[in-house]
Amino acid sequence: VCFKDDEYGPGSFRFEVSGFSADVTYHVRGYAYTGDGLSYGPNASFTTASYAFSEGGGVTDAQGNSYNTVVINNQEWMAENLRSTQFRDGTPLSLMTNYDAIVANRGPVYTWPDLDESKLETYGPLYHSSVAVGTRIVCPVGWRVPTSHDVNALADYLGRTVFRAAFSRDNDDLIGGMLKSTSDLWNTPNENAT
């Protein structure tokens, strides 16, 4: 950021900021230190646009599980965790009921959250990474596991600085918070849920 000093006459400066939250009014004001002291520029304010979320068309997997979907910035995302325990072609995934066996296994396997079968319907299975990156597909027809490009586009839309802060447990404005449900499935405090 550079600006002209009094020796060369009045000038201007430009500064870009990002990472604003949606639907919030911000107030900005420039200032400069000169030989005469501190000088302030005029006050300015602006309100950011609301994020555009809309209900998607829904989708059903090969097992007949139906899912709600949501459209965010022209990308349609599942609004629920995948619950399929088979590939799209009908090939079943192997169930593992022991964490050590899951870690040691290199094949397409799944387990129940907390090794508790009653949680499968609500939370969906926990998949071994080979399920997501293999050549066979577990997602419904026309769907896929999001790429880093997909996630980055979502992060850019919701605010890149928020995405970068997602690895900090001290930040209250995480994208994960913005995307999670206000239901009772999340532990208190369920901050920033929408």
Side-chain angles (χ1 to χ4, degrees), residues 7 9 11 13 15 19-20 22 30 34 39 41 45-46 65 68 107 117 126 152 155 163-165 169 174 178 181 191:
E7 183 179 342
F13 70 94
F15 188 77
F20 298 106
T34 67
S39 299
S45 65
F46 62 94
N65 297 307
N68 293 315
E117 184 176 9
L126 300 175
N152 283 330
F163 178 70
R164 286 187 183 144
R169 294 190 184 271
L174 305 181
M178 298 166 79
S181 166
E191 295 182 27

Side-chain angles (χ1 to χ4, degrees), residues 1-4 9-14:
V1 174
C2 296
F3 60 92
K4 296 180 184 176
S12 63
F13 70 94
R14 177 183 166 145

Side-chain angles (χ1 to χ4, degrees), residues 117-162:
E117 184 176 9
S118 69
K119 294 183 177 182
L120 185 62
E121 184 63 28
T122 302
Y123 297 102
L126 300 175
Y127 300 103
H128 185 275
S129 62
S130 64
V131 174
V133 298
T135 56
R136 293 186 290 179
I137 301 169
V138 71
C139 295
V141 173
W143 289 73
R144 60 180 163 72
V145 173
T147 64
S148 60
H149 176 76
D150 298 324
V151 174
N152 283 330
L154 178 64
D156 287 341
Y157 181 70
L158 296 176
R160 174 57 61 181
T161 57
V162 173

Side-chain angles (χ1 to χ4, degrees), residues 67-151:
Y67 306 91
N68 293 315
T69 60
V70 62
V71 177
I72 304 171
N73 194 31
N74 297 318
Q75 292 179 305
E76 191 167 7
W77 296 82
M78 286 183 155
E80 305 174 55
N81 290 333
L82 188 64
R83 294 184 301 274
S84 183
T85 57
Q86 66 184 37
F87 285 108
R88 186 185 297 170
D89 66 7
T91 304
L93 300 171
S94 299
L95 170 64
M96 296 288 191
T97 57
N98 174 305
Y99 283 129
D100 292 332
I102 295 165
V103 172
N105 193 299
R106 300 245 182 247
V109 299
Y110 76 96
T111 191
W112 309 305
D114 298 326
L115 300 177
D116 181 349
E117 184 176 9
S118 69
K119 294 183 177 182
L120 185 62
E121 184 63 28
T122 302
Y123 297 102
L126 300 175
Y127 300 103
H128 185 275
S129 62
S130 64
V131 174
V133 298
T135 56
R136 293 186 290 179
I137 301 169
V138 71
C139 295
V141 173
W143 289 73
R144 60 180 163 72
V145 173
T147 64
S148 60
H149 176 76
D150 298 324
V151 174

Side-chain angles (χ1 to χ4, degrees), residues 26-31 40-46:
Y26 290 92
H27 302 273
V28 293
R29 184 173 169 180
Y31 65 92
Y40 290 97
N43 289 319
S45 65
F46 62 94

